[in-house]
């Protein structure tokens, strides 16, 4: 059983728990099944790669974003900072995500 993933690719989020607490970044990818997401320049992990000249890979240490559990991040509201979401139905029947604190629509 998992919680609903309300955070989407390209959202601006803040890390609220863990090693990178306080960091802000853009969501690169969301994996709802694993309940994780990847945030630009956050939770960087080192990967050692072997040189492979046929693929033009030099080898060495490569840094890339590691997965973060969705419960460890919060969407950023430009007025309130890290916040929780609420869904509201608009007149046309389309659902939008709004900030629970100020009611601002957070969908672009
Ligand atoms: Zn707000």
């Amino acid at each position: 059983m998992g919680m609903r993933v309300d955070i989407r690719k390209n959202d601006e989020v803040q890390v609220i728990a863990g090693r990178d607490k306080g960091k802000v970044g853009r969501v690169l990818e969301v994996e709802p099944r694993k309940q994780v997401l990847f945030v630009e320049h956050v939770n960087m992990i080192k990967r050692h790669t072997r040189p492979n000249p046929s693929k033009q890979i030099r080898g060495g240490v490569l840094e890339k974003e590691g997965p973060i559990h969705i419960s460890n991040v919060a969407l950023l509201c430009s007025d309130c900072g890290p916040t929780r979401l609420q869904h509201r139905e608009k007149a046309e029947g389309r659902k939008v995500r709004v900030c629970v604190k100020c009611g601002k629509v957070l969908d672009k």
Side-chain angles (χ1 to χ4, degrees):
M1 204 200 90
M3 53 191 281
R4 247 187 89 189
V5 180
D6 282 333
I7 294 174
R8 300 170 194 165
K9 191 173 173 176
N10 290 323
D11 278 344
E12 199 82 7
V13 295
Q14 183 166 348
V15 181
I16 54 169
R19 193 188 71 174
D20 282 339
K21 187 176 175 179
K23 281 193 182 175
V24 170
R26 187 174 61 91
V27 175
L28 301 171
E29 208 180 322
V30 183
E31 289 184 15
R33 280 188 186 171
K34 292 182 185 165
Q35 304 279 295
V36 297
L37 43 76
F38 297 83
V39 183
E40 200 171 29
H41 306 307
V42 174
N43 194 27
M44 299 304 288
I45 51 171
K46 282 179 178 153
R47 266 186 54 191
H48 297 267
T49 52
R50 285 161 182 252
N52 187 342
S54 67
K55 286 183 181 169
Q56 313 258 324
I57 294 169
R58 274 188 169 183
V61 181
L62 197 86
E63 271 203 288
K64 63 173 278 182
E65 286 85 359
I68 305 171
H69 196 266
I70 54 157
S71 63
N72 287 351
V73 302
L75 198 72
L76 272 185
C77 168
S78 53
D79 292 339
C80 312
T83 188
R84 278 157 54 99
L85 292 170
Q86 201 172 35
H87 291 265
R88 191 173 292 166
E89 207 153 331
K90 286 177 84 181
E92 316 91 79
R94 196 170 69 93
K95 280 197 176 150
V96 292
R97 299 176 303 164
V98 298
C99 171
V100 293
K101 294 178 187 169
C102 70
K104 185 174 182 171
V105 176
L106 298 173
D107 285 342
K108 286 151 200 162

